Amino acid sequence: MHDVKVRAATGSDAAAIASLAGELGYPVSAEEMSTRLSALSDSRNDAIFVAVLGLTPVAWIHVATVTSLESPRFAEIRGLVVTSALRSRGVGARLVADAENWARAEGVSRIRVRSNLVRERTHAFYERLGYTTTKSQKVFDKRF
């Protein structure tokens, strides 16, 4: 979509980012999203981009570098949401390309994304972009 522009997210995008997260099944208040966005914007290891149509954010992506003991430093797409009305129109692919460019500029040579097993359409999207499945895993949470 030629009318869509991509830019770094700002604090004023918190409500729109929260609304988009809710579309994907991750409801969060604008206030909580503002807190999260503020914390991440202070991190040198994270980048958040929004795709805007006019002045309205219609999609977002969060990418981060990961440093761990078991593998060389890499980038990971932590979240990607495109509003339902604009899916399959190139907006997500554009954001992924921007995330990949950011990762290259950060000096990493690999980018990873995790996707819920039930999101088959999402899996096909990433495969079209050249991503391959390297493993399946279970995720364990413990609340306190």
Side-chain angles (χ1 to χ4, degrees):
M1 293 197 67
H2 301 317
D3 298 342
V4 173
K5 306 289 186 231
V6 175
R7 61 168 173 76
T10 67
S12 64
D13 297 320
I17 291 172
S19 178
L20 288 162
E23 279 193 38
L24 204 59
Y26 300 104
V28 59
S29 70
E31 294 77 20
E32 173 62 21
M33 186 57 75
S34 180
T35 300
R36 294 177 190 177
L37 190 57
S38 178
L40 290 170
S41 66
D42 291 339
S43 168
R44 187 186 169 317
N45 298 319
D46 294 85
I48 301 161
F49 300 104
V50 290
V52 294
L53 188 55
L55 298 175
T56 305
V58 294
W60 60 263
I61 192 166
H62 172 201
V63 60
T65 56
V66 178
T67 303
S68 65
L69 294 176
E70 83 276 357
S71 68
R73 188 169 166 257
F74 63 94
E76 183 171 61
I77 296 172
R78 309 301 301 266
L80 168 64
V81 183
V82 178
T83 190
S84 60
L86 295 179
R87 290 182 191 147
S88 298
R89 299 178 80 185
V91 176
R94 170 119 180 254
L95 284 171
V96 169
D98 285 342
E100 291 171 352
N101 289 335
W102 177 86
R104 278 188 206 93
E106 289 297 309
V108 297
S109 60
R110 178 172 59 116
I111 190 164
R112 168 181 285 171
V113 63
R114 300 170 196 265
S115 180
N116 191 313
L117 291 173
V118 301
R119 297 192 189 275
E120 294 178 10
R121 185 173 174 202
T122 302
H123 305 165
F125 165 76
Y126 283 111
E127 288 168 350
R128 281 192 306 276
L129 296 179
Y131 288 72
T132 58
T133 302
T134 56
K135 69 178 175 178
S136 296
Q137 60 188 172
K138 291 185 178 185
V139 176
F140 297 89
D141 276 345
K142 182 178 182 179
R143 298 192 186 275
F144 9 83

